[in-house]
Amino acid sequence: TRLRCDWSSDVCSSDLYSILGLKRGCTKTELNKNFSKIMEKLHPDKNKDFDATRLAQITSEARDKILKEDFKN
């Protein structure tokens, strides 16, 4: 599967969940599981695509924002 970077550097909150393939209201476990799967696919040893590094950065930013905004403890 070829991944493409279609997001701008400023990710909107409404896009955060879709970046991770989740719906709002997901559990922290689901969030971390999907994040790990995506990051594994984007790892440089497995994905030589030019956009992989940028997609990994966007995915990480989305996860961090969701954790900060929706899972603060």
Side-chain angles (χ1 to χ4, degrees):
T1 304
R2 178 167 162 73
L3 298 170
R4 291 182 43 224
C5 182
D6 293 327
W7 306 293
S8 67
S9 59
D10 295 324
V11 179
C12 301
S13 0
S14 61
D15 294 334
L16 296 176
Y17 286 90
S18 64
I19 290 170
L20 292 162
L22 297 167
K23 293 183 179 181
R24 190 172 287 280
C26 69
T27 65
K28 195 172 184 178
T29 302
E30 292 170 324
L31 173 70
N32 289 326
K33 185 177 177 180
N34 275 29
F35 175 75
S36 294
K37 285 181 182 180
I38 292 169
M39 294 306 281
E40 185 178 327
K41 290 178 184 179
L42 295 175
H43 192 279
D45 291 341
K46 294 187 177 187
N47 190 337
K48 302 297 183 193
D49 191 359
F50 179 75
D51 289 336
T53 302
R54 181 68 183 130
L55 284 169
Q57 180 182 8
I58 290 169
T59 302
S60 185
E61 289 173 10
R63 177 182 170 262
D64 291 347
K65 286 181 183 180
I66 291 172
L67 287 172
K68 184 178 178 183
E69 294 172 6
D70 296 347
F71 291 101
K72 11 180 179 178
N73 289 345

